[in-house]
Amino acid sequence: MDKKRYWLAAVMVPVLLSSCSNEESTTMNNQNTAQLKADQHQALINEDAKDEWQQVTVIFNDFEGGFYGLVTLNGDNLLPLNLPKEYQVKGTKLKVKGKPIEDMMTTVQWGTVFNITDFEVVTLGKDTQNKGIVE
């Protein structure tokens, strides 16, 4: 009789435990799906909001090996992925359109990574420190 109880317990415990984990798994999947939808919605809002013309000033940061960045009129720092070399001149003022890439890390750890989709030159800066064009 004890063998039957032991066998019944050995079969029932895993069945009961698996049903509990399925409920937890379903709850976690529902939460993850809801968070993913919220993140996608926020990304669309950010994409629409950031794809506007912004006036920026090109600066040269002499740390982490040196790099060019953009500072907006609001004081936001943008790290451009594709600023043309001829405009990598300190003090250059541009109007840019583009998309921030907020989930990308860089070695310089400065500003928001930014992919320029369009730009217009407002004024070209002066290369006073021989850092105008990066070769």
Side-chain angles (χ1 to χ4, degrees):
M1 187 80 143
D2 287 331
K3 287 184 182 181
K4 287 182 183 180
R5 285 185 193 169
Y6 178 75
W7 183 82
L8 183 60
V11 170
M12 292 304 291
V13 169
V15 169
L16 292 174
L17 288 177
S18 69
S19 68
C20 290
S21 69
N22 284 341
E23 288 176 21
E24 290 174 13
S25 177
T26 301
T27 302
M28 290 298 287
N29 284 340
N30 289 342
Q31 289 173 347
N32 290 342
T33 301
Q35 182 63 41
L36 181 60
K37 287 180 181 178
D39 290 346
Q40 288 170 340
H41 178 70
Q42 187 62 43
L44 288 174
I45 291 171
N46 289 345
E47 183 176 316
D48 290 342
K50 294 291 185 179
D51 200 18
E52 300 173 351
W53 286 103
Q54 301 181 70
Q55 185 162 330
V56 298
T57 302
V58 176
I59 64 167
F60 181 78
N61 291 303
D62 196 15
F63 61 91
E64 298 290 340
F67 61 93
Y68 288 89
L70 306 175
V71 178
T72 68
L73 292 177
N74 295 336
D76 295 331
N77 296 328
L78 303 175
L79 183 62
L81 290 176
N82 53 343
L83 180 63
K85 288 183 181 183
E86 59 266 26
Y87 304 114
Q88 292 179 3
V89 178
K90 183 179 173 184
T92 296
K93 295 196 183 303
L94 304 170
K95 284 175 43 178
V96 297
K97 258 188 175 183
K99 305 220 183 293
I101 304 173
E102 297 186 16
D103 60 348
M104 178 184 276
M105 292 178 60
T106 67
T107 58
V108 296
Q109 299 179 11
W110 181 92
T112 301
V113 180
F114 191 73
N115 184 36
I116 299 171
T117 57
D118 197 7
F119 71 94
E120 294 177 7
V121 177
V122 176
T123 59
L124 193 57
K126 294 189 170 123
D127 184 10
T128 59
Q129 296 179 348
N130 198 21
K131 297 203 187 283
I133 298 178
V134 176
E135 304 267 341

